[in-house]
Each structure stands twice: as C-alpha cells, then as structure tokens.
Amino acid sequence: MLTLKYYLEVPASSLDNNKGDIDRISAGLKDVTGTRSIEWPLSTIETASKVVRSSGGKITVTVWPDGDRLNVITTEAGDTTGLNFGVAIDIGTTVVAVELVDLTSGKTIAAEGDVSGQVRYGDDLLTRLHFAGQGGVEELRSALIDTINGLIARVCTDSGVTSTRISAVSAAGNTSMTHTFLGIDPSPIRFEPYTPVINHVPRLSAKELGLDVLPNATVYVFPSVGGYFGGDLISGAVASGISQAEEISLLLDIGTNVEVILGNKDWLLALAGSAGPALEGGVAECARRAAPGAIERVVIDRATLEPSYKSIGESPAYGLCGSGLIDVIAQLYLSGLIDSTGRFILEKKTDRWRTINGRTAYLIAKGDEKNGIPPTYITEKDIQNLLRTKAAMVAALTILLNSVGLQLDDIRRIYTAGSFGINLSVDSATAIGLYPRLPAERFTQLGNGSLLGARKTLLDSSMTAEAERIADKITYLELNVHPEFMEIFRSASYI
C-alpha cells in the first residue's frame, strides 16, 4: 500500500527512561518495522506528543514508506489500523473522476465524477493553455482543486468516511492537466518541441496542493513523457500490465488526444498527438457526455432503415455519448446510408432524412418538444469529424508498426481506454476502422485506465516505481510532426 498504519504501545516516560515522546514513538516504530530512519514533519511532532500522553501510549502511527525510511503522516489514539483510506484521481481535461479506496480491504467504497471547473476557461485544452500563458495559471489551478475537493467531499459523504482518514492520494492526468494541478504554467507545451516544465514529479503532501485530506497525506503524481503523452497514459500502462507482458500488446487511449503504446516487457514504443475535433466537447451537434439519457447503443434495421437505441439509465433519449456516436456511424455505413467517405446516400429512401439548421441530417430520436427534449440526429459534419479522429488513430498505429517492422496480426492483446474506450462496441469500432481489424477476443476494455492505474498504485506501492520505470523506458514519438503522418492521415480519412 502507498501508506501503512502501525499500532504501538509506547512505554511511558520515567526517570529511568526520559527519552522524548517522539523518540519513544520512533523507537517503537523501528522495533515493529525494522526501519532505521523515521522522518517527522514539524507539524506532526506536537500533536503526536499530546496523543501519546493522553492515550496512555496506545497509539496508531500512519506512515508512507520511502525506501528504508518511514515518513510520518499522523498519529491517532488507540488502534485505528483498520481505518486507512486513499483517493485515486483521474484529472481529465473535461471530467474529473475520484474513487475512495479502503486501503485495508482493497475495495473502492465510493466514486464520483464531475465536469472540471476549468471548462469555464475553455472547453478545449489549447484555449486553456493560451489562458495560462496570459497569467491564468492560478485561476486554472484553483478551479481544478475546487473540483477535486468537491468530489472528495462527496465520496466521503457517500461512504461515511471522514476526510482526515485519507492518508494517500494518487493522481493521473495528461501533461497539461498535471501542470495546472501543480500550479505550473503549461503554456510552453503549445510550441515545438512541446517540452513540459517537469516530467517526474517529486512526492508531495496534500497541504502543498490544497487538497482536503490529511495535511501530510502523501500525494503521488504519475510522470509524463512529452507534451502530448501524460501520466494518464502511463497510469493506463500500469493498469493494463503491458510493460510486464511477454506478448506484444497495444494500449489505445482515445480522448481529446490519440495516445498509443506498443510493446511488451522488453520494449515500449509510444506515439501521441491531437485526435482532431471529434472528441472535443460540443463538436458533434448532438454530442453529450455519458449521463442519463445519452444514447449509448444504436441499431439500424437493414430493411426499414429505422433506428432503435438504448439510452443510459433508460431515461428519455437526448444526445449521443461516445459509444452511441460510434455505433450510429457504423450502422449508417452497414445499412448503406453513408458511403466510405462519410457522405449521406440520399437515394436510400427513409423518413429519417431531415434538414436541421440548414444541413441534412439523419434523425435518431424525435425528442419530446412538450417536455423540452430536443431531437437527436447526426450530420455529415459530425461524421467527418469522427473520421478525422479515426484517421489519426490509424496513422498512429501504422507509424508504430512500421517503426518496429511488425504486422497488425503480431499484436496479441489490445487494451482500450479513454473517453471512447468505455462501453464502446468493439464491433462498431472495427467496422469503421477506429480499432484495428483483429479478433474481438484480443480486445480488453480497461474503462478509465487512468483511474484504474491510480487505484492500483494506492494498493501496491511498487507500482509507483513501475510507473517511473515505464516513463524512463518508453521511446516516444510526436505524432503531429512525424514525416509520415499527413500522408497516412489523408489516406485513412474514410471508412
């Protein structure tokens, strides 16, 4: 675990044993753990002295190990070894997710997510980077920390756990979001050679970042590799186990950026870059985050060309989340309603053709005007945006395979993550070429790989060393400036 708790019965001081309170606690810790070095932050010393005196020496000490050294986080009266909790955080560009983990049982006991407060400074990352460069770093940091603290408060309320029981935090995000989490200006990442201020973040305390948990709680932040290759993907690599596998595996993380890792325990090659506009909030006219009412599954009858769909929570249908968008494009193509370039084939007779906002659209759900629910539809522009993302994905994978002289079939396992890797139909994704055309049994959906890896490090402290090893070991290429990128991108911009 990232933090440990030890129950001690510290002997009272006497004329024969007049060592200081902290010295006697340290001696007890050394006896129990065999550790030679105990580090005490100044802020913990006086409190520990009061606790050991008032409890008759029966205390629990929470520490985080660092090699042969134990760093004290807090001291409590009595035996509280069964009450130790950590928080895993996915610092998403659009949505921030938090899980409260019981470090004793290993179970996630509460989870919450919310739109990042940073979106008021720009839905897309480039707008925020520009804002940061104009002196907005502190505002971005404050907005993000407020979002995280709000989510921590919610998981604590959900579970009945007080925030002062949280001794460990593990956080993963893309390079720019990690910088704003730390209060560091990320704006230089915009410019070639896209160099971050920092890749490997030292271990921090919660009070340094303003997190509402134990002030001395240890905070692990996943390392980045490049401007577009962040700790969220390193966390996904930890979650998947790709760096420890014998077989050649592929990790696909498709969100605002396309991020890909190829390799095994002996070598890792990665490539990342902008995914184009399709996955940035609000580009598809009926795009919606995965929330109750968002359409997540679509099937079009080949004979009638009528759609059927499933919305999240079976709520009244309104808008398309990522999996629904992929489904509808695949179904339009398989039904002969669009061609390989994503253009509508209007000769196909269906009552679903509409003119909406001056553009031709295929109507998926009619909505409910009386109850203020608008129709859900898709336009050619939406399809073209998605095909650009698909082309970026194909270009990334092609460049990686060509770099190491491998064929597609050499990949034995594909892990999918990111905003389009959650609940996405592999059949639909392969039908349009977003995912490589390989047998479905080779695919494993990680879901939120960033959050999964963060949780994994909370429960296994050796995974922090693995994350650092991956970041150092990986060979990283910048997708958007690769000489082959535009040629492959153009040839892949169709179904």
Side-chain angles (χ1 to χ4, degrees), residues 17-99:
N17 182 3
N18 62 355
K19 289 182 179 179
D21 297 332
I22 302 305
D23 299 299
R24 297 198 315 281
I25 296 171
S26 293
L29 274 175
K30 290 176 181 179
D31 287 343
V32 169
T33 65
T35 302
R36 293 184 178 182
S37 176
I38 313 291
E39 294 292 329
W40 290 81
L42 181 61
S43 59
T44 64
I45 291 175
E46 188 174 3
T47 300
S49 174
K50 291 178 180 178
V51 169
V52 76
R53 293 183 183 216
S54 64
S55 67
K58 297 179 179 181
I59 63 171
T60 299
V61 184
T62 306
V63 299
W64 69 271
D66 182 17
D68 293 330
R69 181 178 65 198
L70 296 180
N71 300 274
V72 175
I73 294 173
T74 192
T75 307
E76 302 165 277
D79 185 352
T80 65
T81 51
L83 298 171
N84 193 22
F85 301 91
V87 166
I89 306 173
D90 169 35
I91 313 172
T93 304
T94 304
V95 176
V96 179
V98 165
E99 286 189 2

Side-chain angles (χ1 to χ4, degrees), residues 152-291:
I152 290 173
R154 283 161 56 181
V155 294
C156 287
T157 299
D158 294 345
S159 62
V161 172
T162 61
S163 61
T164 52
R165 298 288 189 193
I166 298 172
S167 63
V169 176
S170 181
N174 68 41
T175 308
S176 296
M177 294 303 296
T178 296
H179 278 52
T180 58
F181 179 61
L182 300 173
I184 296 172
D185 183 5
S187 61
I189 294 172
R190 291 179 295 166
F191 308 109
E192 195 172 338
Y194 316 111
T195 305
V197 174
I198 186 169
N199 284 327
H200 293 269
V201 180
R203 193 70 70 90
L204 301 169
S205 66
K207 64 184 175 184
E208 290 178 277
L209 295 168
L211 298 177
D212 291 340
V213 296
L214 277 169
N216 291 307
T218 184
V219 181
Y220 177 72
V221 181
F222 276 82
S224 302
V225 178
Y228 283 104
F229 191 103
D232 51 350
L233 192 57
I234 298 294
S235 186
V238 168
S240 69
I242 187 174
S243 63
Q244 298 176 330
E246 294 281 350
E247 60 189 8
I248 294 173
S249 301
L250 179 71
L251 173 62
L252 304 177
D253 191 311
I254 310 174
T256 305
N257 298 324
V258 162
E259 300 165 323
V260 185
I261 299 178
L262 178 70
N264 60 11
K265 67 181 182 61
D266 298 318
W267 58 273
L268 293 171
L269 183 62
L271 199 150
S274 173
L279 305 184
E280 295 172 4
V283 172
E285 290 188 24
C286 292
R288 193 174 177 211
R289 297 184 185 97

Side-chain angles (χ1 to χ4, degrees), residues 152-488:
I152 290 173
R154 283 161 56 181
V155 294
C156 287
T157 299
D158 294 345
S159 62
V161 172
T162 61
S163 61
T164 52
R165 298 288 189 193
I166 298 172
S167 63
V169 176
S170 181
N174 68 41
T175 308
S176 296
M177 294 303 296
T178 296
H179 278 52
T180 58
F181 179 61
L182 300 173
I184 296 172
D185 183 5
S187 61
I189 294 172
R190 291 179 295 166
F191 308 109
E192 195 172 338
Y194 316 111
T195 305
V197 174
I198 186 169
N199 284 327
H200 293 269
V201 180
R203 193 70 70 90
L204 301 169
S205 66
K207 64 184 175 184
E208 290 178 277
L209 295 168
L211 298 177
D212 291 340
V213 296
L214 277 169
N216 291 307
T218 184
V219 181
Y220 177 72
V221 181
F222 276 82
S224 302
V225 178
Y228 283 104
F229 191 103
D232 51 350
L233 192 57
I234 298 294
S235 186
V238 168
S240 69
I242 187 174
S243 63
Q244 298 176 330
E246 294 281 350
E247 60 189 8
I248 294 173
S249 301
L250 179 71
L251 173 62
L252 304 177
D253 191 311
I254 310 174
T256 305
N257 298 324
V258 162
E259 300 165 323
V260 185
I261 299 178
L262 178 70
N264 60 11
K265 67 181 182 61
D266 298 318
W267 58 273
L268 293 171
L269 183 62
L271 199 150
S274 173
L279 305 184
E280 295 172 4
V283 172
E285 290 188 24
C286 292
R288 193 174 177 211
R289 297 184 185 97
I295 294 173
E296 61 177 347
R297 286 285 177 265
V298 179
V299 175
I300 297 176
D301 187 279
R302 302 292 192 273
T304 65
L305 303 183
E306 283 292 299
S308 57
Y309 52 80
K310 177 182 178 295
S311 63
I312 296 175
E314 304 295 339
S315 300
Y318 165 41
L320 292 161
C321 67
S323 60
L325 180 61
I326 299 295
D327 263 9
V328 72
I329 293 173
Q331 288 292 308
L332 286 169
Y333 179 69
L334 294 172
S335 301
L337 291 167
I338 60 174
D339 62 21
S340 62
T341 69
R343 302 292 180 187
F344 288 135
I345 301 175
L346 298 176
E347 292 78 9
K348 298 279 283 189
K349 301 301 181 183
T350 172
D351 292 337
R352 291 287 166 167
W353 296 132
R354 295 286 193 279
T355 300
I356 302 175
N357 299 328
R359 284 199 288 271
T360 301
Y362 177 84
L363 182 67
I364 302 161
K366 296 178 181 179
D368 186 347
E369 188 175 338
K370 289 183 180 179
N371 292 309
I373 299 175
T376 298
Y377 56 90
I378 190 167
T379 68
E380 287 183 340
K381 183 179 178 181
D382 300 334
I383 298 169
Q384 293 300 317
N385 285 339
L386 191 280
L387 290 182
R388 291 189 187 97
T389 297
K390 175 258 181 186
M393 184 77 257
V394 171
L397 182 53
T398 302
I399 289 169
L400 284 183
L401 290 172
N402 290 346
S403 298
V404 290
L406 293 176
Q407 301 298 313
L408 194 59
D409 195 54
D410 293 324
I411 302 171
R412 309 312 299 172
R413 177 65 57 188
I414 303 100
Y415 299 95
T416 63
S419 55
F420 270 32
I422 301 173
N423 299 322
L424 176 61
S425 165
V426 172
D427 288 341
S428 292
T430 52
I432 67 171
L434 181 67
Y435 285 174
R437 297 181 188 276
L438 289 169
E441 59 268 20
R442 296 192 192 182
F443 287 82
T444 299
Q445 292 180 319
L446 288 179
N448 189 331
S450 176
L451 195 61
L452 184 58
R455 182 169 72 242
K456 199 168 182 178
T457 59
L458 287 175
L459 298 172
D460 184 352
S461 60
S462 70
M463 289 296 102
T464 62
E466 178 65 7
E468 303 297 320
R469 187 183 74 84
I470 292 170
D472 285 335
K473 170 184 177 180
I474 213 159
T475 301
Y476 170 62
L477 305 174
E478 198 77 59
L479 176 61
N480 301 101
V481 297
H482 195 280
E484 297 179 30
F485 172 68
M486 283 310 299
E487 181 180 349
I488 301 172

Side-chain angles (χ1 to χ4, degrees), residues 92-114:
T93 304
T94 304
V95 176
V96 179
V98 165
E99 286 189 2
L100 180 63
V101 180
D102 185 330
L103 300 183
T104 303
S105 69
K107 296 179 180 178
T108 294
I109 56 175
E112 292 282 354
D114 206 348

